[in-house]
Amino acid sequence: MNSLLNTINSYPAVYADIFVVFVLALILYLLTLFISKILSGKDAETVETEPDKQISATDLEEIKTEVPPPPVEADDIQDAFKSSGPVVRETVVTEEILTEEPIAEIPPEPEQVVEEVVEEPAPAPAEPETVISRLRKGLSKTQTGLFGKLDGIFSRSEIDQETWDEFEESLISSDIGVNTTMKLREVISGSNLNDPSEIKDALKEEILKILKNAEGGISEFKAKPTVMMVAGVNGVGKTTTIGKLANKFIKDGNKVMVAAADTFRAAAIEQLEVWSQRVGSDFIKGSPGADPSAVAFDAVQASQARGIDLLIVDTAGRLHTKTNLMDELKKIKRILGREISDSPHEVLIVLDATTGQNAVQQAKSFNEAIDISGIVLTKLDGTAKGGVIIAIADELNIPVKYIGIGEALEDLREFNAEEFVEALFAEGDSTVH
């Protein structure tokens, strides 16, 4: 202890006082903790729980027999309110009365009626399209162009000179041709007809007479092979026509060969070869630029060796105004005739109906060069100038052997004058008789 005091005294007085104060505070704090612990332990020991007091049976009987307090009368309550000073606002509590909504009666489910299912008969298969309806469809533009004008012309109450002038103009605009139109006007106007239907009947009869004279099909095969030479300018549908002709004769049971003697255009050779493959015919060709007559010669030799029934020789499409090209056609015809007697047995020219009167001029020029035996008139379905067939029949006296009224293989048809006129004059579901 003395050493502690000596140590404290060795410090300056200020630090010694601070240290003494600190020690005294620590001692007081420890004493406080000690005293509080002693007191809390003593309280815990003295706290005792009072045991529950049990109620005896006697006390329980007394509780049960206690007299209930007297009931409070209504007058006493009113007196109490009167003597209670200020009036207190009464709060009225309205009790909401819940009313039950009537439950809607659920109607009984209706009895299920089982309807007898009657099967409708299957629709009858569509009737095959007739020749007349097919022709009519192909000639619809020509029919509309020609008879649409005539209906307007003859709908007037009076038929005079002006009416006949318009009649003439409508026929010429349909490419029937000036000469043929003048003949038709002279015959019909001279019959003193005034009824429009009678005038149409007369026109129909006269056109049928003209076309009947030009009617003619392919003659029977008189040689083996029978040789058919096909000519025409570019773009008239010559290659397509050859393919359709080959298809027709193959279906008739003939063995057909197609010769591509149009060596001036490589594309023409390729197109014809595609058609031959499509219809199943034999095919022979030369190299592009080769002599067309040489190809025709080779075709004759090959067709004889293979037992071909029909040899169709394609020729170069050329303008009818080119003399040297027309001379080439003459040469091919001579070669064919030299190899097979009386051949070619058929010389067909393909004409495009859309060219109108130009087709007549083409036919005249080709006929002078190679003596045409028949005409194939194509694209009648795409023009209102189908009347050109009447001009061709009237002016050239060359048989019209086939007409084209569509793109399908069966749309190349043998020309039948009566069917053609019936389709041309058809009205609605009927025809002009």
Side-chain angles (χ1 to χ4, degrees):
M1 186 68 180
N2 291 330
S3 61
L4 179 61
L5 293 174
N6 291 330
T7 302
I8 293 172
N9 290 330
S10 63
Y11 289 102
V14 176
Y15 294 109
D17 294 339
I18 292 172
F19 180 77
V20 171
V21 171
F22 173 76
V23 171
L24 292 174
L26 180 60
I27 293 170
L28 289 174
Y29 176 71
L30 293 174
L31 289 173
T32 303
L33 290 175
F34 179 74
I35 293 170
S36 62
K37 186 175 182 180
I38 293 173
L39 292 176
S40 60
K42 186 176 180 180
D43 293 339
E45 293 177 357
T46 58
V47 174
E48 291 181 0
T49 301
E50 185 178 356
D52 293 336
K53 184 177 180 180
Q54 295 182 352
I55 300 174
S56 62
T58 305
D59 294 335
L60 184 59
E61 289 294 331
E62 291 179 358
I63 292 173
K64 291 181 179 180
T65 56
E66 281 186 357
V67 179
V72 180
E73 298 291 337
D75 294 337
D76 297 337
I77 296 173
Q78 291 179 359
D79 294 340
F81 274 106
K82 290 179 181 180
S83 61
S84 60
V87 177
V88 180
R89 181 178 297 173
E90 296 180 0
T91 302
V92 179
V93 180
T94 304
E95 183 177 1
E96 183 178 359
I97 301 175
L98 298 177
T99 59
E100 293 183 359
E101 295 182 359
I103 300 174
E105 295 183 359
I106 300 175
E109 294 184 0
E111 296 182 0
Q112 294 183 352
V113 179
V114 180
E115 297 182 357
E116 183 179 355
V117 179
V118 180
E119 295 184 359
E120 296 183 359
E127 296 182 0
E129 195 172 27
T130 63
V131 175
I132 297 297
S133 62
R134 185 63 185 161
L135 272 172
R136 183 181 173 187
K137 185 183 298 182
L139 297 173
S140 59
K141 291 185 179 180
T142 299
Q143 185 190 48
T144 302
L146 176 59
F147 295 106
K149 298 175 184 177
L150 291 180
D151 288 340
I153 293 170
F154 292 113
S155 62
R156 303 168 186 171
S157 58
E158 182 180 357
I159 297 177
D160 52 15
Q161 184 66 28
E162 183 181 353
T163 305
W164 289 112
D165 289 341
E166 293 182 14
F167 168 78
E168 179 182 314
E169 182 182 347
S170 67
L171 296 184
I172 293 174
S173 64
S174 298
D175 274 280
I176 291 178
V178 176
N179 295 333
T180 306
T181 297
M182 296 303 294
K183 291 178 184 179
L184 291 172
R185 174 178 176 174
E186 183 179 354
V187 173
I188 297 173
S189 63
S191 59
N192 297 321
L193 298 175
N194 293 317
D195 184 79
S197 61
E198 292 179 354
I199 293 174
K200 281 187 177 181
D201 288 341
L203 179 61
K204 176 182 178 181
E205 183 178 350
E206 291 301 318
I207 290 177
L208 179 58
K209 288 179 182 179
I210 295 172
L211 294 178
K212 263 292 187 181
N213 293 331
E215 190 179 50
I218 298 295
S219 58
E220 295 182 1
F221 296 166
K222 297 178 180 180
K224 187 169 180 152
T226 294
V227 180
M228 181 185 294
M229 180 177 172
V230 183
V233 301
N234 288 328
V236 297
K238 180 164 57 68
T239 303
T240 301
T241 298
I242 291 173
K244 291 180 178 180
L245 284 171
N247 177 72
K248 177 186 181 306
F249 288 109
I250 288 173
K251 285 188 174 181
D252 290 340
N254 298 292
K255 191 173 182 181
V256 180
M257 174 182 285
V258 175
D262 183 359
T263 59
F264 296 100
R265 290 191 310 127
I269 299 174
E270 295 174 0
Q271 291 170 6
L272 200 59
E273 187 171 13
V274 170
W275 268 106
S276 296
Q277 293 172 353
R278 178 180 177 185
V279 301
S281 69
D282 285 30
F283 181 75
I284 189 168
K285 63 180 179 179
S287 59
D291 184 359
S293 300
V295 176
F297 174 82
D298 292 340
V300 171
Q301 300 300 317
S303 61
Q304 290 175 329
R306 300 179 191 179
I308 297 296
D309 297 310
L310 175 65
L311 170 62
I312 304 176
V313 181
D314 182 25
T315 59
R318 59 199 73 229
L319 293 176
H320 55 286
T321 56
K322 299 294 184 180
T323 304
N324 59 329
L325 297 178
M326 298 300 285
D327 289 340
E328 183 65 39
L329 286 179
K330 296 177 184 179
K331 182 181 178 181
I332 294 174
K333 186 178 180 182
R334 287 196 306 270
I335 295 296
L336 293 173
R338 186 188 68 191
E339 297 302 315
I340 299 177
S341 179
D342 297 329
S343 70
H345 305 96
E346 290 284 354
V347 180
L348 302 181
I349 180 172
V350 181
L351 300 176
D352 181 352
T354 63
T355 60
Q357 288 299 304
N358 191 36
V360 179
Q361 298 304 317
Q362 291 174 23
K364 288 180 178 179
S365 298
F366 277 94
N367 189 42
E368 292 174 359
I370 55 177
D371 193 18
I372 295 171
S373 64
I375 293 172
V376 180
L377 189 62
T378 64
K379 305 181 185 180
L380 277 169
D381 59 313
T383 182
K385 299 180 178 182
V388 69
I389 192 173
I390 303 170
I392 291 172
D394 183 56
E395 295 182 29
L396 301 180
N397 196 28
I398 300 174
V400 178
K401 304 211 170 184
Y402 293 96
I403 57 173
I405 56 172
E407 297 180 356
L409 288 171
E410 61 273 12
D411 286 336
L412 182 70
R413 295 183 178 274
E414 290 187 31
F415 177 66
N416 182 294
E418 292 183 359
E419 292 176 352
F420 184 89
V421 173
E422 285 295 323
L424 187 62
F425 280 79
E427 293 182 349
D429 296 330
S430 61
T431 59
V432 177
H433 298 290

